[in-house]
Amino acid sequence: MRFHTALASLAENRRVDESMQQVLAEMRLVFSMMADPRTFHAPYLEGNQQILALLREGRRADAEEALMRYLDAAEAQLLEAASF
């Protein structure tokens, strides 16, 4: 969650920061309903590292694409877990 807060802060926009805090508060509720949140989070650590490496290399477009794939995968996994 800190990683995503840091990503959002790159926008240097108060509204983005506030929106991210709201999303993360809602996500904490979702994670609290999971039997094992660590199992959910563990595979995403590598994605965080990849996105960070791309940003450090100045490859913003590649980082954006990697983040979108990451978020799409997380959304699908959360929806499946929530049985929507």
Side-chain angles (χ1 to χ4, degrees):
M1 291 185 158
R2 283 180 279 198
F3 176 75
H4 292 284
T5 300
L7 281 180
S9 73
L10 293 174
E12 297 181 344
N13 183 294
R14 180 183 55 81
R15 291 181 62 128
V16 170
D17 292 340
E18 290 171 359
S19 294
M20 180 54 96
Q21 291 307 313
Q22 180 63 39
V23 167
L24 292 176
E26 292 173 15
M27 294 309 301
R28 282 190 290 277
L29 291 173
V30 171
F31 296 146
S32 72
M33 296 185 312
M34 292 181 154
D36 184 10
R38 265 185 210 271
T39 301
F40 172 79
H41 289 287
Y44 293 99
L45 296 177
E46 184 178 326
N48 290 349
Q49 292 168 348
Q50 177 193 20
I51 293 164
L52 180 58
L54 291 168
L55 288 171
R56 285 183 171 159
E57 293 169 9
R59 297 170 54 193
R60 294 176 64 124
D62 292 334
E64 180 183 356
E65 288 176 22
L67 179 60
M68 294 309 296
R69 286 190 305 272
Y70 172 110
L71 292 174
D72 287 343
E75 178 184 37
Q77 187 177 6
L78 285 169
L79 290 173
E80 183 179 321
S83 300
F84 287 113

